[in-house]
């Protein structure tokens, strides 16, 4: 069973007006503020307090109230390839049965409460004529969001060498150096330095010989 519900919560809905006559319908179009952590943590989601437009259809059936709806909002996050901020419209569809706690699976009033905790664990109940839509809506939003959001389908991402955003500079590249040639270039440089040192030594010896001859 749900904990006692607060009718002031914008995601808690009252079914008293709908009644328990099978076939009765009620349509609602509320706009609510998104609750916290409404999406994929650290990836993309609907910011807390952002407007969420709901279109709901409540249908009374034998065992409870069948709720069918759509949620529309603007999701925000960042591209997983280039890390740029992104925004994209979100539309999430959902349908859930909220059961009367005193009715069995055929809609008949139970003589005594059921003692099957496992069955009740996955069942959403109506409490005092109220039901809480938040867990259903949260699951629907998460399923509707992309697991790997991108700013555009062909986003090239970031340069693996320097981290530059490749979409801003399509011609961006780095000169590739073969490590084998790099080793040879280093060896050549060492030889050149040795030759310079040798020439420097020879020049110094010649200068000293010239000084002796003058003396």
């Amino acid at each position: 069973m749900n904990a006692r519900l607060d009718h002031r919560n914008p995601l808690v809905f009252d079914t008293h007006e709908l009644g328990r006559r099978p076939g009765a319908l009620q349509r609602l179009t509320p706009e609510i503020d998104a609750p916290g952590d409404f999406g994929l943590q650290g990836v993309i989601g609907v910011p807390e307090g952002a407007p969420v437009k709901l279109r709901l259809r409540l249908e009374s059936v034998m065992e409870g109230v069948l709720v069918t709806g759509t949620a529309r909002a603007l999701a925000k996050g960042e591209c997983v390839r280039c890390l740029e901020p992104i925004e994209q419209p979100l539309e999430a569809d959902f349908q859930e049965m909220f059961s009367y706690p005193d009715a069995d699976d055929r809609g008949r009033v139970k003589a005594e409460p059921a003692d099957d905790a496992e069955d009740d664990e996955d069942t959403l109940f109506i409490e005092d004529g109220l039901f809480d839509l938040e867990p259903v809506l949260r699951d629907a939003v998460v399923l509707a969001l992309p697991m790997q959001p991108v700013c555009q389908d062909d986003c090239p991402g970031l340069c693996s060498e320097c981290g530059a955003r490749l979409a801003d500079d399509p011609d961006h590249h780095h000169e590739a150096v073969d490590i084998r040639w790099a080793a040879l270039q280093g060896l050549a440089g060492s030889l050149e330095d040795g030759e310079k040192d040798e020439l420097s030594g020879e020049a110094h010896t010649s200068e000293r010989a010239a000084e002796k001859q003058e003396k």
Side-chain angles (χ1 to χ4, degrees):
M1 289 290 292
N2 296 324
R4 183 165 294 279
L5 300 178
D6 184 355
H7 66 89
R8 294 169 297 182
N9 185 328
L11 284 172
V12 171
F13 294 89
D14 192 333
T15 65
H16 285 101
E17 183 178 341
L18 178 67
R20 295 183 64 162
R21 181 172 58 84
L25 294 175
Q26 185 177 14
R27 299 181 187 275
L28 304 172
T29 56
E31 181 173 314
I32 57 102
D33 294 336
D37 299 327
F38 209 47
L40 301 172
Q41 187 72 24
V43 181
I44 190 171
V46 181
E48 183 174 2
V52 179
K53 296 181 179 180
L54 301 176
R55 187 173 69 242
L56 305 176
R57 179 178 183 270
L58 280 57
E59 180 181 1
S60 178
V61 294
M62 291 292 292
E63 60 269 32
V65 175
L66 180 65
V67 178
T68 306
T70 301
R72 291 188 175 90
L74 184 65
K76 297 184 179 182
E78 66 177 25
C79 175
V80 296
R81 297 179 188 171
C82 69
L83 307 182
E84 285 293 300
I86 59 174
E87 294 184 352
Q88 66 177 56
L90 166 74
E91 182 169 320
D93 297 323
F94 53 89
Q95 185 175 71
E96 188 65 49
M97 170 67 71
F98 290 86
S99 299
Y100 297 126
D102 59 349
D104 62 15
D105 57 358
R106 295 184 180 180
R108 296 175 300 192
V109 175
K110 299 178 182 178
E112 295 181 0
D115 195 25
D116 192 343
E118 291 185 2
D119 289 345
D120 288 352
E121 185 176 345
D122 297 329
T123 302
L124 296 176
F125 288 99
I126 294 173
E127 178 190 331
D128 297 330
L130 305 175
F131 68 86
D132 185 4
L133 189 63
E134 182 172 342
V136 175
L137 186 57
R138 188 181 296 276
D139 289 346
V141 166
V142 169
L143 291 174
L145 289 169
M147 298 295 291
Q148 300 286 325
V150 291
C151 58
Q152 54 189 30
D153 292 340
D154 58 349
C155 174
L158 302 176
C159 173
S160 59
E161 296 288 334
C162 65
R165 186 169 183 263
L166 298 178
D168 296 333
D169 183 9
D171 297 326
H172 179 88
H173 69 283
H174 296 269
E175 293 294 338
V177 178
D178 192 313
I179 58 174
R180 295 170 296 178
W181 288 112
L184 291 175
Q185 290 173 357
L187 179 60
S190 299
L191 292 175
E192 289 178 0
D193 292 340
E195 291 175 356
K196 290 179 181 178
D197 292 341
E198 184 178 346
L199 291 174
S200 177
E202 292 177 356
H204 185 62
T205 302
S206 299
E207 290 176 358
R208 290 180 61 186
E211 289 177 358
K212 288 182 179 181
Q213 290 179 358
E214 290 178 358
K215 293 178 179 181

